[in-house]
Amino acid sequence: MYNDKLKHANFDLPKPQVHPSHPFRSPENHQALIEYVRARLESDKTTRDNRVSKYSQIDRDVAGWLILSEEDKKRRIEHERTGKAFATAQNLPLTWVHLDDMMTYYAQTFAPNRGMFYHTAEPQDTEDASQVVSLMNNHATYCSYYRHLLRTIFAILKYNVGGMTTFWATDFGPRLTATETGQVVTVPEPIFSGNKVESFDMYNTMWDPSVEPSMVHKDGEWFATHKMKSHYWLKNKCLEGAYFRCEEFLSKDSAEPTNATVWYRHPPAEANMEINDSTGNSWYSILSGSSSYSSHGPFELTEVFIRINPNDFGLIPGNAEA
């Protein structure tokens, strides 16, 4: 038994080394940037809600979801208690069978038996190409390219839309070192730098509604994803210098996870499938490829990729003419 609040270790988080007009230091520019970004998110809110409604209906159909009647609930309880067979109403997940067949084909096609990448270089370029391919395969193994690729394919088969992103990232790990005074301290040290990929959770993906999804990368003004992250994750990212100005939030003790989110949508809740009155197994674990606990956390994180004029918000010193 533990309290409903958890206490966390205290650390001095690094401060951003930026010029005075930068949003990290200027409250006016910080607020202006937030309002600018929020207006873009609001522009897709209605469309995103409509998409989520369709996604949830699809997931219910795929899972063969069915709320049991009172009589069926009693039969199920009696079956669990005695082991006797009782007939209960059930929706056969026929769509899931077809999706499973297609996913089996793609899983076998892209299975990295000898690595996800290979080369067909000319003899004089073989050595260089082998080194590049070896590095790419190391990145693929470390960052689970195969799993994210299959989750993206599954989303496309289900919703007729899906995607993934690639980005350069550096992971840090702790290293013990001694200071000049002999005190032993822990300092972050890079343990991996490379290209990561991540599949999109379509319930929590938004984009510029003025362009079609396949052209967002080229013609879209912005794109955003929403996630739930743990206290530990956010503090680590702050210590690594990925996020700043989080002291106020991290200084508070963590309470139990809540559904009071602004942008994030929890798939089982949206599909009305969290209740344990249905037949079958956990649809979320099966259909999303991850356990339900991965969707909970005390912090809601919205990552926005946006094209802006940095001079409008003091992101760079000087002005456009300079």
Side-chain angles (χ1 to χ4, degrees):
M1 185 70 181
Y2 56 88
N3 295 328
D4 60 347
K5 291 186 177 182
L6 301 175
K7 295 186 180 298
H8 300 277
N10 295 319
F11 292 93
D12 292 328
L13 302 180
K15 303 295 183 182
Q17 303 300 316
V18 293
H19 52 276
S21 65
H22 193 282
F24 283 154
R25 295 181 60 183
S26 170
E28 294 78 12
N29 284 334
H30 183 260
Q31 187 60 31
L33 181 57
I34 288 179
E35 292 176 358
Y36 187 90
V37 172
R38 181 180 288 273
R40 270 65 188 169
L41 295 174
E42 291 287 352
S43 69
D44 190 46
K45 183 178 184 302
T46 301
T47 307
R48 195 281 287 263
D49 290 344
N50 291 335
R51 292 196 300 267
V52 167
S53 177
K54 295 177 181 178
Y55 299 155
S56 61
Q57 181 59 57
I58 291 171
D59 281 327
R60 286 195 293 268
D61 292 341
V62 169
W65 184 70
L66 173 70
I67 295 181
L68 299 178
S69 66
E70 292 300 323
E71 291 75 14
D72 283 329
K73 291 179 185 178
K74 294 177 182 178
R75 295 189 187 101
R76 187 182 64 178
I77 294 174
E78 186 66 15
H79 169 70
E80 293 175 352
R81 187 179 67 85
T82 65
K84 294 181 179 179
F86 290 93
T88 58
Q90 183 175 1
N91 284 332
L92 297 178
L94 301 179
T95 306
W96 164 258
V97 175
H98 293 293
L99 285 173
D100 184 60
D101 286 341
M102 289 186 284
M103 282 304 302
T104 300
Y105 167 76
Y106 286 116
Q108 293 174 341
T109 301
F110 295 105
N113 297 324
R114 297 183 180 179
M116 291 198 69
F117 303 99
Y118 60 92
H119 70 85
T120 56
E122 297 294 334
Q124 66 272 17
D125 300 322
T126 298
E127 183 177 353
D128 292 338
S130 296
Q131 293 180 9
V132 173
V133 168
S134 177
L135 179 63
M136 294 173 66
N137 282 324
N138 287 340
H139 289 184
T141 301
Y142 181 88
C143 303
S144 303
Y145 283 16
Y146 182 60
R147 177 169 61 89
H148 286 285
L149 174 63
L150 293 186
R151 291 181 65 178
T152 299
I153 294 174
F154 197 24
I156 294 173
L157 291 175
K158 283 197 302 178
Y159 310 130
N160 203 32
V161 63
M164 59 195 304
T165 182
T166 303
F167 54 94
W168 186 267
T170 299
D171 287 347
F172 292 82
R175 179 173 63 87
L176 294 178
T177 185
T179 64
E180 295 180 355
T181 61
Q183 181 184 6
V184 177
V185 296
T186 301
V187 296
E189 182 179 72
I191 58 175
F192 169 83
S193 290
N195 289 298
K196 286 190 174 183
V197 302
E198 185 173 340
S199 58
F200 297 139
D201 172 5
M202 297 312 301
Y203 280 80
N204 293 291
T205 302
M206 301 177 72
W207 58 82
D208 184 346
S210 64
V211 298
E212 59 180 272
S214 62
M215 298 303 294
V216 170
H217 69 287
K218 182 173 181 286
D219 301 325
E221 180 187 4
W222 63 274
F223 179 88
T225 61
H226 313 289
K227 308 168 187 174
M228 299 302 293
K229 292 297 185 179
S230 68
H231 188 284
Y232 175 82
W233 183 92
L234 180 59
K235 181 168 287 186
N236 260 1
K237 289 298 180 183
C238 290
L239 290 171
E240 295 170 5
Y243 298 105
F244 297 99
R245 297 186 59 171
C246 299
E247 290 84 355
E248 177 184 353
F249 307 104
L250 291 171
S251 63
K252 300 177 182 178
D253 295 334
S254 298
E256 290 296 317
T258 175
N259 291 327
T261 57
V262 178
W263 299 105
Y264 178 80
R265 300 292 181 264
H266 187 45
E270 292 298 323
N272 192 28
M273 295 174 67
E274 284 190 311
I275 56 177
N276 191 29
D277 289 341
S278 178
T279 58
N281 297 316
S282 170
W283 80 273
Y284 187 66
S285 297
I286 296 174
L287 301 183
S288 71
S290 62
S291 302
S292 59
Y293 68 80
S294 65
S295 299
H296 292 280
F299 295 109
E300 180 181 3
L301 175 69
T302 294
E303 290 185 317
V304 181
F305 305 86
I306 187 170
R307 295 183 170 103
I308 60 175
N309 181 355
N311 294 287
D312 291 344
F313 307 101
L315 290 167
I316 58 176
N319 50 50
E321 287 73 23

